[in-house]
Amino acid sequence: MAKLPPPTRTSIPSNTAGLNPRKWGLLKDISKNRFLYIMLIPVLLYFAVFHYFPMYGASIAFKEFSPRLGIMGSPWAGWEHFESFFNGIYFWRVVKNTLLISFYELIFGFPAPIILALLLNEIRKTAFKRTVQTITYMPHFISLVVVCGIIKEFTMSDGLINDIMAFFGWERVSLLLESEYFRTLFVTSGIWQNIGWGTIIYLAALAGIDQEQYEAAKIDGANRWRQMLNVTLPGIMPTIVILFILEIGRLMNVGSEKIILLYNPSIYDTADVISSYVYRVGLQEFNYSFSSAVGLFNSAINFTLVIGSNWLSRRMNKTSLW
Amino acid sequence: MMVHRMLAKDSLLRNLKSGLTAVLLTSLLLAGCSSGSKENTPEAKPNDGGKDASTAIGSSYPLNTTETITSWEILNMNAVTFYSNLADTPFGKALVDQTGVQVEYIHPNDQQTTEQFNLMIASDELPDVIEYDWTGRSAGSYPGGPEKAIQDGVILELNDLIDQYAPNLKKKLEADPTLDRMVKTDSGKYYVFPMIRNPSGLVFRGPMIRQDWLEELGLPVPTTIEEWEKTLIAFRDEKGATAPLSVTYTGGNFEIRDAFIGAYKTSNSFYVDDEGKVKYGPMDPQYKDFLALFRKWFAEGLFDKDFALTDTKALDNKILTGQTGATVHLLSGGMGKWMDAMKEQDPKFKLVGAPYPTLNPGEIPFIGQRDFKYNPGPSKAITTAAKNPELIVRWLDYAYSEEGSLLYNFGIEGESYVMENGAPMYTDLIKNNEKYSLQQMVSQYSKPNGPYEADERRNWNTFPEQDEAVKVWSKTDAEKHILPGFLTPTAEESKELGKILTEVSNYKEEMFVKFIVGKEPMESYDKYVEQLKKLGIERAVEIYQSALDRYNSR
């Protein structure tokens, strides 16, 4: 929004012509580029109506919400819901699970598309490259419900994975009933589904690297490995950092839909995360206020994390979201 | 462009209002606003202005009126196959003809009934009539129960209206004190026109087993736990069943909730013991024995290894492919459906209802499935938005009259039923339709569920085994031990109860599965009971006890 086209000489309205240009800069700008500003209105309205206005509803976290009385009419409850969450028996478990799953996704899931992109970048045969790309990004288009159905089928005691394990003489176990496998299943299936899609953005960044740099590196005697380390990686670094900050912002937001579709009471101890807990308590047991308190707590942490990592990144390598 | 998409998707704003907050807030937003503003003008709509009209409507059907009633109710799943609105069905048209009242039906989406109900209440845009569970007894029904709903100004107290304008229902309530007690609140208020089940419709779930396998193996239908074990072993070893006994597990609800547990003289939830005291089954010492049994069966491969992942579809698959030979399920949604599906593929396939198992031969099972005469879900309440309650009451009362009852149960004479020796019988159009099942046909010509009294003479079972199963499943002491579903804790108690039960039921279910799959040693049972107590289970029992006492003295 900061940079608007330079003022043109025509159409300076007479009434502002004599005023101090610095003081009236914005007004002048508006009157000059009124069509651009008019085009901005729907966007601002969209954010106001759909993103800012609903936030007032977050107040039900501090209320004894009853649908009939409405958000405004419900009586205040203070910090009661937050207290009962913090003192509940599941507080540490869901926070721990949320952090752990996110952390695993971050260390295994985040680099995966980068590595694939770098590998693809080294391939010279376009046909092969295209094929690999298509195959790896296909799973992204499968609906989550179907993906979870597939995972369930594969991990059942008579499913594919068990068939393979039984072939090597292992005992058949229903993998989704065993808490120790859940995180692995969750993270690997996530990588499988999203690796190709995530690669696209890095390939785009790769395409933007100046070819002359490679020429120069070659003349300096850099082999392909060196070229990758010293030209390619620095070239896509800003993209990586930005995506990393965004990823940090989602740290507490493990995909609850997927967890809800996959978990069952026997693996709650490793699978239950804040958002799935919110869903269970809020929607299944109609405890709106309590669950929005938990959701708000989650958002607050996310917010802090984004601000924090953005600040850190700006200080450390001058790349940041804002 | 890709970059843009990704950035937008993960933008900060989205994170800010993450998770449930987002869903809720956006959906409740408008609702909250409008109800907030309306709060200042308490409605005093009903009761005035109705007097002049009352004489004009008349008391004989069809009523003399031009008004249209709006009714919010679920459209039967089978009826959806043919029509999208009840008004278009042959039943809906016949009802208009016979009562003279035009009705505009509003049907919530089957999957989101509760959400849509909540939104409707929150938005304060009420139709005249709402068919919904107002008891507050379970998640999803009106929080706080009927007293609260009346106090909140959502629905009307019906005592005077029934007294004056609903002679048919009044007669039924006077003749049946048990029913009368169920449909009023602690303070004696009526709040719905009830759906009254017929005696044979009270039991509709229980254990069932593959009769053809039993015959092949020369085994009797098992009655005791010991016999069950023998049978399941035979299924596993001789029939190659990979999950000899399997049940569904959906929404944290386990379908053996009433079978097998009864053998140990306890239940999977709250129950009333022989002395009339409320107890919580999952903390009884006997409950431990029940857990031990299933732990053993699970370990030996008699009980489905994937049981915690089995939903209805998975169970269908297991039953129809012979991986499972026994289950606990519904009469028509299970037994009837599966036999129907296998009619052509495998004519030998046959399921029979097995009695609820006991520990010793000849015992009567302590608990089983048995529902109540009053079915609160398909019962109708009149809202405070109704302009002409008298008309609505008269319209609703028609269902309890003789002609009305025939229409609601059997449909249209000469088309869907004929009178034979004074008893209504479904015609071939309904019974032996080539394309559609009896349930589907019935749903067009009558109302499978809704406020009226279900006729004892109607029978929707397709197989004789189903009739037999009901008889077998009925032989339990369930009636004595099931906690009545119409207890009404006070507003304060409800709030407390809600908090306790959320944590208790989560914890109980989790431990239940862990004990069975062997992840938690049986020795920690005492610790588990301790934890339940810490979560306040004893207080919950206390609350239910006082609610039960109030119920008994209604």
Side-chain angles (χ1 to χ4, degrees), chain B residues 56-57 62-68 99-102 388 391:
Chain B
I57 294 169
L63 300 166
N64 178 24
T65 180
T66 50
E67 274 184 63
T68 301
T99 59
V101 182
Q102 294 288 339
N388 192 351
L391 171 71

Side-chain angles (χ1 to χ4, degrees), chain B residues 102-123:
Chain B
Q102 294 288 339
V103 187
E104 186 191 315
Y105 295 97
I106 307 158
H107 299 302
N109 182 326
D110 183 44
Q111 304 294 318
Q112 297 154 347
T113 314
T114 313
E115 284 88 341
Q116 291 185 16
F117 172 79
N118 284 349
L119 280 175
M120 176 172 68
I121 298 296
S123 71

Side-chain angles (χ1 to χ4, degrees), chain A residues 23-38:
Chain A
K23 205 172 175 184
W24 292 92
L26 183 65
L27 262 185
K28 211 168 76 180
D29 198 52
I30 289 178
S31 67
K32 239 186 309 178
N33 302 307
R34 50 184 163 290
F35 290 111
L36 282 179
Y37 280 97
I38 288 172

Side-chain angles (χ1 to χ4, degrees), chain A residues 11-289:
Chain A
S11 81
I12 295 174
S14 53
N15 58 340
T16 54
L19 293 165
N20 180 354
R22 208 174 270 168
K23 205 172 175 184
W24 292 92
L26 183 65
L27 262 185
K28 211 168 76 180
D29 198 52
I30 289 178
S31 67
K32 239 186 309 178
N33 302 307
R34 50 184 163 290
F35 290 111
L36 282 179
Y37 280 97
I38 288 172
M39 280 160 73
L40 181 68
I41 290 173
V43 180
L44 288 181
L45 267 180
Y46 165 79
F47 278 102
V49 171
F50 291 105
H51 292 258
Y52 282 92
F53 192 43
M55 276 193 240
Y56 105 98
S59 60
I60 71 168
F62 304 95
K63 290 194 161 201
E64 208 56 67
F65 181 67
S66 128
R68 165 75 185 174
L69 295 175
I71 297 177
M72 287 306 185
S74 300
W76 291 99
W79 293 93
E80 196 190 312
H81 303 299
F82 290 90
E83 274 163 25
S84 62
F85 175 53
F86 295 145
N87 297 328
I89 51 172
Y90 297 124
F91 175 68
W92 284 113
R93 188 171 83 179
V94 294
V95 170
K96 187 186 109 190
N97 286 337
T98 312
L99 285 175
L100 267 182
I101 292 181
S102 306
F103 180 67
Y104 289 139
E105 280 203 308
L106 201 64
I107 54 173
F108 296 111
F110 184 73
I114 302 178
I115 295 169
L116 183 67
L118 291 176
L119 290 174
L120 282 175
N121 192 43
E122 298 301 317
I123 295 171
R124 293 284 168 254
K125 279 225 178 356
T126 359
F128 180 65
K129 192 168 154 183
R130 288 265 162 79
T131 321
V132 172
Q133 236 190 305
T134 313
I135 290 172
T136 51
Y137 81 58
M138 278 305 209
H140 178 84
F141 298 102
I142 307 175
S143 122
L144 198 59
V145 180
V146 177
V147 168
C148 292
I150 295 175
I151 298 174
K152 273 189 177 172
E153 283 294 321
F154 277 22
T155 52
M156 288 229 176
S157 63
D158 57 351
L160 181 75
I161 299 180
N162 267 298
D163 286 346
I164 297 171
M165 280 167 46
F167 180 79
F168 289 107
W170 294 44
E171 203 188 329
R172 285 179 183 271
V173 273
S174 193
L175 295 173
L176 275 179
L177 284 184
E178 302 290 329
S179 16
E180 58 266 36
Y181 301 130
F182 181 76
R183 291 182 189 129
T184 318
L185 273 174
F186 186 85
V187 173
T188 45
S189 62
I191 293 178
W192 167 75
Q193 202 188 357
N194 293 318
I195 187 166
W197 187 254
T199 304
I200 294 173
I201 201 167
Y202 294 111
L203 285 175
L206 282 168
I209 298 174
D210 194 348
Q211 289 303 311
E212 279 175 27
Q213 291 190 31
Y214 288 104
E215 302 292 327
K218 260 184 240 164
I219 292 166
D220 288 346
N223 58 17
R224 289 188 77 168
W225 176 248
R226 271 274 147 211
Q227 285 176 33
M228 192 178 88
L229 280 186
N230 292 0
V231 181
T232 317
L233 261 183
I236 59 170
M237 210 30 141
T239 315
I240 295 180
V241 170
I242 297 265
L243 286 179
F244 189 76
I245 296 172
L246 290 173
E247 202 60 31
I248 295 272
R250 304 188 339 131
L251 202 57
M252 303 287 281
N253 268 10
V254 185
S256 54
E257 300 93 344
K258 194 170 157 194
I259 293 201
I260 290 161
L261 285 168
L262 286 179
Y263 75 173
N264 63 71
S266 77
I267 53 170
Y268 277 173
D269 48 348
T270 57
D272 201 14
V273 297
I274 296 180
S275 45
S276 58
Y277 181 67
V278 165
Y279 168 81
R280 248 192 3 261
V281 175
L283 273 182
Q284 292 187 335
E285 320 209 0
F286 299 93
N287 226 329
Y288 293 128
S289 288

Side-chain angles (χ1 to χ4, degrees), chain B residues 60-112:
Chain B
S60 63
Y61 300 101
L63 300 166
N64 178 24
T65 180
T66 50
E67 274 184 63
T68 301
I69 295 176
T70 50
S71 174
W72 188 92
E73 55 187 80
I74 294 172
L75 182 58
N76 181 277
M77 236 175 54
N78 287 316
V80 175
T81 330
F82 309 97
Y83 300 96
S84 63
N85 199 293
L86 190 62
D88 303 329
T89 62
F91 166 80
K93 287 179 182 153
L95 185 63
V96 173
D97 286 345
Q98 297 191 11
T99 59
V101 182
Q102 294 288 339
V103 187
E104 186 191 315
Y105 295 97
I106 307 158
H107 299 302
N109 182 326
D110 183 44
Q111 304 294 318
Q112 297 154 347

Side-chain angles (χ1 to χ4, degrees), chain B residues 195-363:
Chain B
M195 169 73 203
I196 309 168
R197 289 194 176 104
N198 75 23
S200 68
L202 302 182
V203 173
F204 46 77
R205 185 177 62 227
M208 54 187 84
I209 197 158
R210 282 285 291 269
Q211 171 74 26
D212 51 327
W213 285 9
L214 289 178
E215 278 165 14
E216 225 174 290
L217 299 167
L219 291 166
V221 173
T223 58
T224 63
I225 296 286
E226 219 184 299
E227 284 171 20
W228 265 90
E229 192 168 309
K230 255 187 239 157
T231 311
L232 294 177
I233 291 175
F235 280 3
R236 181 192 64 190
D237 297 343
E238 327 248 330
K239 297 303 301 177
T242 48
L245 171 66
S246 186
V247 290
T248 54
Y249 189 103
T250 36
N253 247 331
F254 209 38
E255 276 304 352
I256 45 166
R257 54 192 146 162
D258 35 40
F260 299 97
I261 298 184
Y264 297 92
K265 308 232 176 306
T266 176
S267 121
N268 195 30
S269 186
F270 295 94
Y271 69 95
V272 185
D273 74 0
D274 291 326
E275 275 79 52
K277 289 268 163 277
V278 176
K279 285 212 169 142
Y280 187 60
M283 60 188 289
D284 277 343
Q286 315 91 283
Y287 192 78
K288 193 175 168 185
D289 300 331
F290 159 72
L291 286 177
L293 176 78
F294 268 80
R295 187 188 177 93
K296 185 174 147 218
W297 284 4
F298 179 83
E300 290 175 1
L302 300 179
F303 183 48
D304 191 354
K305 282 262 185 232
D306 298 310
F307 76 92
L309 311 168
T310 303
D311 55 11
T312 316
K313 242 173 72 196
L315 185 65
D316 286 350
N317 181 37
K318 283 175 193 177
I319 299 261
L320 299 181
T321 58
Q323 297 173 52
T324 293
T327 185
V328 182
H329 214 68
L330 300 169
L331 191 66
S332 64
M335 196 180 228
K337 184 175 78 176
W338 292 321
M339 294 225 268
D340 216 32
M342 292 301 272
K343 238 178 354 200
E344 264 146 47
Q345 278 181 48
D346 181 4
K348 272 198 343 221
F349 181 97
K350 196 168 147 201
L351 285 163
V352 288
Y356 280 87
T358 55
L359 219 46
N360 304 307
E363 276 179 340

